[in-house]
Amino acid sequence: MIQRTGIMLLIMLGTLACSNDQVIHQHSMTTGSSELSDRRPVYRPDLFPETKVIPFDESLGQPLESGAPPAGAKLVKSFALPRSEAEVLAYTNGDVNAGLTGYLKGRNSVWKLGSLSGFDENQAWIHSLDFLTGEVSGAAIEIPFGPIGAKNGLLIYRHNTDSWNVIDFQGHSAIPMDLDSDGVPEWIGNQTDWVPPALEIHRWSTEHDRFESTVLQWNSLFPETDNDEPSYSSLFIENGKHLIQIGRDDAYAFFTFDRGVLKQFRPADTRDRVLEMQMARHH
């Protein structure tokens, strides 16, 4: 389960600021430019361990409603999951304004996925998760779907139980990105509408045969350090390298992600990227 301890009121942070080769979060842990100049966090790698195993929990799934397309509905598009009898189906009931509805068809069952808003049959809308093997097949759906209008998600089908699991990232946006270059993507949410911002990671666990997720926060990662301040995490891409900054109002450090483990990284340039972006918002 995704832990959100330390997350304060949700507000929109505005347009994501970025340079040519950086993915950067803005964060607002203090207010006013005078406060920003008075409280400058310090690069303190000594406060953090060199490596840390990240605590992951099972990704929350969207509940499904059993039900077949209504009589008269027209099949518009279908997508067959690899190595299985499962399909993802898009139907219209003939009303152009009503849009399309998605269904998940297994070996002996049919489930309602919900509205497929923004569906365009001429564009890519779904693709196979080819790294899944054995009794599990899956696909990534790349358009808004479902009763809460998830921005995108993952569809997992288990052959032996004829069952589905739908990961909708709890309505957040997430994009596939191979953080550790192991050939298997993680799904990354750069949550700019959280205050402080937080990096959300979903990954496939071969050991547990499921998708798992985490939110990188100081308290959950480093409980041995005594602090009650809200913390942030932000992802940057610099010169092709994924760099994660984790910190709070007084201190920060940098890490890389390696198969579920954070490894401290000490760049030659140790400037506070998050504060830099925060100050840019105030000017």
Side-chain angles (χ1 to χ4, degrees):
M1 179 177 295
I2 301 174
Q3 300 298 319
R4 299 178 181 174
T5 304
I7 296 174
M8 302 162 61
L9 296 176
L10 300 179
I11 61 172
M12 296 303 296
L13 296 184
T15 305
L16 179 66
C18 61
S19 65
N20 290 336
D21 63 349
Q22 294 178 323
V23 176
I24 300 178
H25 290 305
Q26 303 173 14
H27 92 105
S28 178
M29 298 191 61
T30 56
T31 57
S33 58
S34 61
E35 291 182 65
L36 288 174
S37 60
D38 292 342
R39 298 190 65 186
R40 289 182 178 273
V42 178
Y43 176 56
R44 289 289 307 275
D46 58 293
L47 294 180
F48 300 84
E50 290 299 317
T51 62
K52 181 66 177 183
V53 176
I54 302 173
F56 279 86
D57 293 304
E58 184 173 6
S59 294
L60 294 179
Q62 179 187 118
L64 294 174
E65 173 187 346
S66 179
K74 178 183 177 183
L75 178 64
V76 175
K77 205 78 171 179
S78 64
F79 181 87
L81 269 61
R83 302 174 291 98
S84 76
E85 304 170 64
E87 294 180 278
V88 183
L89 309 171
Y91 277 86
T92 176
N93 63 5
D95 183 352
V96 177
N97 297 321
L100 301 182
T101 301
Y103 292 87
L104 304 177
K105 183 178 182 298
R107 183 173 59 252
N108 297 306
S109 61
V110 182
W111 299 87
K112 186 176 180 180
L113 181 61
S115 172
L116 301 180
S117 56
F119 183 92
D120 184 344
E121 61 180 301
N122 297 316
Q123 297 180 355
W125 65 288
I126 192 170
H127 67 266
S128 299
L129 300 179
D130 293 328
F131 58 86
L132 297 180
T133 59
E135 290 296 319
V136 183
S137 296
I141 185 167
E142 300 175 344
I143 58 173
F145 72 94
I148 68 170
K151 296 177 176 62
N152 59 331
L154 305 172
L155 312 176
I156 311 304
Y157 179 72
R158 299 183 182 277
H159 313 174
N160 54 350
T161 58
D162 188 25
S163 62
W164 293 84
N165 188 27
V166 177
I167 307 299
D168 62 6
F169 309 123
Q170 295 190 307
H172 311 148
S173 59
I175 61 174
M177 185 183 300
D178 190 355
L179 284 183
D180 47 13
S181 302
D182 66 348
V184 178
E186 290 74 35
W187 268 260
I188 307 303
N190 286 336
Q191 306 303 352
T192 58
D193 57 347
W194 292 7
V195 179
L199 181 63
E200 182 180 5
I201 303 175
H202 295 257
R203 67 164 187 180
W204 176 254
S205 170
T206 303
E207 178 184 1
H208 298 115
D209 201 32
R210 68 188 188 186
F211 271 98
E212 300 178 334
S213 64
T214 191
V215 176
L216 299 186
Q217 294 172 319
W218 192 319
N219 290 346
S220 59
L221 289 168
F222 316 111
E224 64 277 6
T225 61
D226 184 21
N227 78 89
D228 295 322
E229 296 179 26
S231 66
Y232 64 83
S233 56
S234 296
L235 174 67
F236 300 79
I237 304 176
E238 299 181 350
N239 300 317
K241 187 176 187 65
H242 297 100
L243 187 64
I244 299 169
Q245 180 176 333
I246 299 176
R248 59 192 186 199
D249 272 350
D250 61 344
Y252 65 91
F254 299 98
F255 298 84
T256 58
F257 178 91
D258 185 8
R259 304 189 187 200
V261 177
L262 284 178
K263 295 185 176 180
Q264 192 172 153
F265 177 72
R266 305 187 183 217
D269 178 4
T270 61
R271 75 185 190 280
D272 187 338
R273 276 83 164 159
V274 171
L275 180 62
E276 189 177 82
M277 291 300 100
Q278 183 185 23
M279 294 183 70
R281 290 185 67 229
H282 289 272
H283 292 86

